[in-house]
Amino acid sequence: MTESYPSLPSPATAPAPTRRTALRAAGGGALLLGMGLAGCRSAVSGTGSASKGGAGKPRRGGTLDFAVDTDFTPSLLFAQSRQSFQQRLLYNTLTRYDDRLTPHPELATSWEYPADGRSITLELRTGVTFHDGRPFTADDVIFAVQNLQNPARAAQLRATAAAVTGFEKRGDHELTLKLAHRVNNLFDLFEFMIIADRNAVEDAVKGTRLNGTGPFKLAKWSPGTGLSLTRNDAYWQPDRPYLDAVEFRVVSQGDAIVSSLRTGQTHLTYQVPGRNLASIAHDPGLTVTEYATGAGAIYLGVNTTVAPLDDKTVRQALAHAVDRDRILKQSLGGYGLASAAPWPKSSPAYTEARRTHYPHDPAKARELLKSAGHSRLKLPLLHISLPGDTAVAESLQYDLKQAGVDVTLQPTDPATAQKKLISQTMPALWTMSHGFAQVQPATLAVSAYPFNEAKNTSKFHSAEYTRVVREAWTSPATGAAAGRLRGAVSDILLDEAFIIDLVIAGNVQTASKKLHGVTLNKFSYLNLDDAYLDA
C-alpha cells in the first residue's frame, strides 16, 4: 500500500488550525525562555493583531522591526536554538506541518510514501531560484540531507537524516530517498531541514552569505546588533512577501523590549518578560497571544558523571524539590504548563499522571537525599545570563536549598551555553530550554541534545533506554503498540531523572495591532509570507 499526497495549496494559504489561550493576569516573573518550538498556525488574539487577514486588504511595503534577545549565531545555522526565528525568512523547507502534524507542501509539492517506510518519492516545486538566481533542483535536497548527516554540523535531527542511505533522481524535480529502516519522524526532518545553497554553505556558517530560496535576502549581519533582511523580488510565491524588509534587533533586556513595543520601535517579539504581559494586554496598541501547543520546556539538567548525581535517588530528590507551579507563575507570567514530563497536552505522549509524577515535596526530597547518604550538597548551576533564565535559576536555587542542596549560580552567555550543551561540557547542574517534544514523540530521544539516547549532555547511558527509544522511533507512529512504547520512554525519563522537566512553555507573541499575517512553524521558524503592516 502506498500513500499518495497530492499537491495542496501553497503554505501561505493552506489551512492552519489555530489555538489560543486568553491572557492571564498572573503577576511576577521574567522573560519567557525563547528557544520556543510552536506549531504551524497563525497567532489569533482578541483583536486579530497578527491573524491572517487582519483588518482588511493586505498593504504592500514597510519594514517589520522584530526584537530578539539573542544574536544570530552562524555556527548554529543548522541547529534548533533560541535564535532560529530567521530560518524560514531566508530558506524554505520541504514541507510544513499543521497543528495535527499533517504535512503540507512547501518546496515538495507532493509525495508517495510506501507503507513499509523504506522510501519516499518527492515531487519538487519548479520555477524556484536561490537569491543569486540559481535554479533549485533535486541536487539541493540531496545536499541538505547530506549536510545534516555531516558530524561537523550542529544539527539535532542527524539520526533521522542518517537513516537516508540513497537517492534516485528522475530529472531535476523528482527525487526518491531510500531509507535503511522505517522512521516515524521523517516529516519532522522535512520541516526542520532548511534548503541552503550547496555552493555557499561554508560562507553561511560564517554568516557572510546566506543564500536561500526564502522570501527575504540577507542585506547585512551586524554582530551583536542584528540582521537586516530585504524583500526577495524573485520569490516563488506570486506577489509575496508584502513587506519590503525585516530588521532583527538584539535587545537583551526585557524592560527595553517592552519600551520598544510601546513606542512603536518594535512590531513583534516573543520575549517580553512574564511580569509585563498582563500590563501589555491593556495597551491599546498591542496584543498578546499564546501558541499553546508547546514551544518547548524549561528543564533542570543533571550531569550523571558527577558524584553523587550518578545516583538516581539523588536526582529524584532534586525532581521533588522544585516548585514548578511557582516557576510557571513568577517566571512565565502564568503562560505554560507545570510538568515533570516533557510533553505538551497536544502530544500523543501526554498523560496527566506523568505530568504530575514529581509533586513539589521538600520533605520527600530531604528523605531521598538522606536515604542516599547525604544531608547537604554543594553544586554549581549554569544558566543563561538573560533576565528570564536568571529568574528561573534563582527559583531553582531557592527550592533546592530548602531540600539541602546549595547551588552556586554560573551565568553564561547564550552562545557559550549552547556550545557547552552540544559538546557535553556542562557542570553538575544547568537550566535551559529544550524543544522537540511538540513534534513526533520519537524525535525527542533521538534528536534533542539533552535526551539523545546515543549521546546526551547528561552523559546518561542505558541499554534499555536505547532499546526502547529506537523501537519507538522505527515503529509505526499510531496504534496501541506505539502508545506502549511512548509510555515506556516517558517512564524511563521520569525514573532516571537525568533531565528534570519543569514547565512546558508556549511561545507568547506580543505584537503591534498594525501587524497581521504572522505564523510560526513547529520549530519556531517565522513565516512572514502573508505578513503586512497597516499604514
Side-chain angles (χ1 to χ4, degrees):
M1 176 181 176
T2 296
E3 295 184 29
S4 181
Y5 293 78
S7 179
L8 297 173
S10 77
T13 57
T18 60
R19 299 192 180 186
R20 173 184 176 267
T21 56
L23 175 68
R24 286 157 292 189
L31 184 67
L32 175 70
L33 295 188
M35 184 170 168
L37 299 172
C40 168
R41 58 223 181 274
S42 296
V44 178
S45 69
T47 61
S49 70
S51 61
K52 206 174 281 188
K57 185 177 180 180
R59 169 182 172 268
R60 188 170 298 282
T63 297
L64 170 65
D65 291 296
F66 179 48
V68 293
D69 65 4
T70 305
D71 193 15
F72 173 59
T73 305
S75 62
L76 299 177
L77 182 64
F78 299 104
Q80 170 62 45
S81 72
R82 62 191 295 146
Q83 56 88 41
S84 296
F85 289 108
Q86 78 285 327
Q87 304 291 69
R88 174 53 175 71
L89 303 186
L90 295 161
Y91 303 98
N92 291 115
T93 57
L94 288 174
T95 58
R96 193 161 184 259
Y97 278 135
D98 62 24
D99 271 354
R100 299 180 181 89
L101 295 183
T102 300
H104 293 270
E106 191 151 308
L107 291 186
T109 58
S110 63
W111 45 89
E112 292 186 359
Y113 196 17
D116 65 5
R118 295 294 300 275
S119 68
I120 186 168
T121 298
L122 305 171
E123 292 288 341
L124 302 176
R125 193 174 296 277
T126 59
V128 177
T129 60
F130 285 86
H131 297 153
D132 65 358
R134 183 176 67 80
F136 160 73
T137 70
D139 288 326
D140 296 299
V141 178
I142 294 171
F143 170 77
V145 174
Q146 292 174 335
N147 184 53
L148 293 190
Q149 292 173 342
N150 182 354
R153 302 285 181 237
Q156 291 97 334
L157 274 150
R158 180 174 298 117
T160 304
V164 179
T165 56
F167 307 91
E168 290 183 7
K169 291 194 304 178
R170 285 183 284 278
D172 284 340
H173 296 94
E174 184 176 341
L175 176 67
T176 297
L177 308 183
K178 301 289 187 179
L179 282 80
H181 52 79
R182 178 204 304 274
V183 296
N184 58 33
N185 66 340
L186 188 60
F187 285 95
D188 291 4
L189 174 68
F190 292 169
E191 173 138 343
F192 170 85
M193 182 177 70
I194 59 173
I195 305 299
D197 178 13
R198 64 186 188 273
N199 299 322
V201 66
E202 296 306 323
D203 292 333
V205 295
K206 296 174 184 175
T208 58
R209 186 182 177 208
L210 304 175
N211 189 33
T213 63
F216 295 91
K217 301 184 292 185
L218 176 67
K220 184 180 181 182
W221 172 43
S222 302
T225 301
L227 292 168
S228 296
L229 310 181
T230 58
R231 186 180 192 273
N232 174 15
D233 292 329
Y235 190 43
W236 53 270
Q237 292 203 54
D239 302 319
R240 299 295 192 278
Y242 294 121
L243 296 166
D244 287 335
V246 180
E247 290 286 340
F248 281 67
R249 302 187 187 280
V250 178
V251 187
S252 59
Q253 296 301 314
D255 289 342
I257 291 178
V258 172
S259 177
S260 71
L261 284 163
R262 285 180 163 152
T263 59
Q265 294 174 300
T266 293
H267 299 110
L268 175 68
T269 189
Y270 296 88
Q271 290 156 345
V272 169
R275 67 178 181 271
N276 296 106
L277 290 172
S279 63
I280 282 182
H282 302 293
D283 191 303
L286 301 172
T287 58
V288 179
T289 308
E290 180 184 10
Y291 288 96
T293 57
I298 303 166
Y299 71 94
L300 174 64
V302 185
N303 187 334
T304 64
T305 65
V306 175
L309 300 175
D310 53 347
D311 183 347
K312 74 176 182 181
T313 301
V314 175
R315 303 195 296 268
Q316 291 170 352
L318 302 183
H320 276 294
V322 293
D323 187 344
R324 293 169 175 81
D325 289 321
R326 183 167 60 85
I327 290 172
L328 171 62
K329 181 178 180 179
Q330 293 185 354
S331 297
L332 300 185
Y335 282 87
L337 179 71
S339 180
W343 316 110
K345 285 188 175 181
S346 59
S347 172
Y350 173 87
T351 67
E352 183 66 11
R354 293 186 178 99
R355 181 185 78 81
T356 59
H357 183 81
Y358 283 111
H360 178 222
D361 192 339
K364 176 71 171 179
R366 290 192 294 270
E367 178 186 326
L368 288 170
L369 283 178
K370 185 177 179 180
S371 72
H374 308 284
S375 57
R376 294 205 75 82
L377 296 174
K378 292 185 178 181
L379 298 167
L381 172 65
L382 180 147
H383 66 91
I384 292 175
S385 54
L386 290 170
D389 306 72
T390 300
V392 170
E394 289 172 346
S395 291
L396 289 170
Q397 184 181 45
Y398 174 84
D399 289 343
L400 294 175
K401 186 174 183 178
Q402 311 315 304
V405 181
D406 297 313
V407 300
T408 302
L409 301 186
Q410 294 184 350
T412 307
D413 70 88
T416 300
Q418 185 77 5
K419 289 173 183 175
K420 283 181 172 290
L421 183 79
I422 295 169
S423 62
Q424 300 178 283
T425 55
M426 285 294 192
L429 300 174
W430 72 94
T431 181
M432 289 179 69
S433 294
H434 72 74
F436 295 91
Q438 80 295 347
V439 285
Q440 293 295 340
T443 294
L444 183 76
V446 295
S447 294
Y449 293 120
F451 296 89
N452 192 302
E453 56 83 18
K455 181 182 179 182
N456 55 69
T457 314
S458 297
K459 301 180 182 178
F460 170 80
H461 300 285
S462 158
E464 178 63 9
Y465 182 51
T466 293
R467 183 191 68 78
V468 172
V469 165
R470 293 190 69 82
E471 187 174 352
W473 177 44
T474 58
S475 300
T478 58
R484 287 193 295 271
L485 288 167
R486 289 193 294 265
V489 172
S490 297
D491 290 341
I492 291 173
L493 292 175
L494 290 168
D495 181 60
E496 294 291 351
F498 61 93
I499 293 296
I500 299 169
D501 273 288
L502 306 173
V503 176
I504 308 301
N507 271 321
V508 179
Q509 175 178 291
T510 307
S512 166
K513 289 184 178 178
K514 295 181 178 180
L515 177 63
H516 312 278
V518 177
T519 67
L520 295 168
N521 85 345
K522 280 286 185 180
F523 296 107
S524 285
Y525 299 172
L526 193 63
N527 186 330
L528 299 178
D529 286 7
D530 288 346
Y532 66 95
L533 290 163
D534 291 336

